[in-house]
Amino acid sequence: MSFIADIFSSLGKLKYSKENQKAAVDSMDSLKKRMDLLNQKAFNLAENYPEQRVKIGECLKSLSAIEPSASTRAGKFEQQISVAITKVSTACDKIFTSKDSKVLDSEIEILIRNIREREHADEVQEE
């Protein structure tokens, strides 16, 4: 991020109340805990799914690096990440019975996209 973007990001953080900042921290903590549980579940996938296990681990790492934000845009992406985590978890459960990884692969890609969007939710938009 550029120096100017860092300044705007810092200023943006000041405009939110302490309550909103606490809610943002709680939201990210909750997502990180859910992602950690998903990563543990993915570890139990059969050895036939190493690529999926690695991608889920990378999602955990990426999500863990995201700073909390009280912006509406960040909150929107956090909601999408929450839904995506649930869908990937459900797809993992289905792997244990059906051995069909197509749904799992597509749900992981959606999760990855949502995390990437959240990573950049508060960046200054250049025109």
Side-chain angles (χ1 to χ4, degrees), residues 29-48:
D29 286 346
S30 175
L31 283 177
K32 290 172 186 177
K33 287 176 187 173
R34 290 186 62 217
M35 192 66 225
D36 186 49
L37 289 172
L38 176 60
N39 189 52
Q40 291 173 27
K41 181 183 275 191
F43 186 77
N44 291 326
L45 289 174
E47 291 182 7
N48 298 340

Side-chain angles (χ1 to χ4, degrees), residues 53-68:
R53 289 171 28 183
V54 168
K55 285 182 179 182
I56 291 171
E58 289 170 355
C59 286
L60 174 61
K61 184 177 177 181
S62 295
L63 190 61
S64 295
I66 296 175
E67 292 293 322

Side-chain angles (χ1 to χ4, degrees), residues 35 38-39 41-43 45-59 88 91-92 95 99-109 111-112:
M35 192 66 225
L38 176 60
N39 189 52
K41 181 183 275 191
F43 186 77
L45 289 174
E47 291 182 7
N48 298 340
Y49 306 100
E51 187 176 313
Q52 291 86 347
R53 289 171 28 183
V54 168
K55 285 182 179 182
I56 291 171
E58 289 170 355
C59 286
V88 172
C92 284
I95 285 282
K99 310 292 186 219
D100 181 12
S101 65
K102 291 177 187 173
V103 172
L104 178 60
D105 291 336
S106 65
E107 294 299 345
I108 290 172
E109 291 306 314
L111 176 60
I112 290 168

Side-chain angles (χ1 to χ4, degrees), residues 18 24-25 27 37 45 54 74-75 82 97 99 101 107 118-119:
K18 288 183 181 179
V25 169
S27 176
L37 289 172
L45 289 174
V54 168
S82 180
T97 58
K99 310 292 186 219
S101 65
E107 294 299 345
R118 173 56 185 87
E119 286 173 328

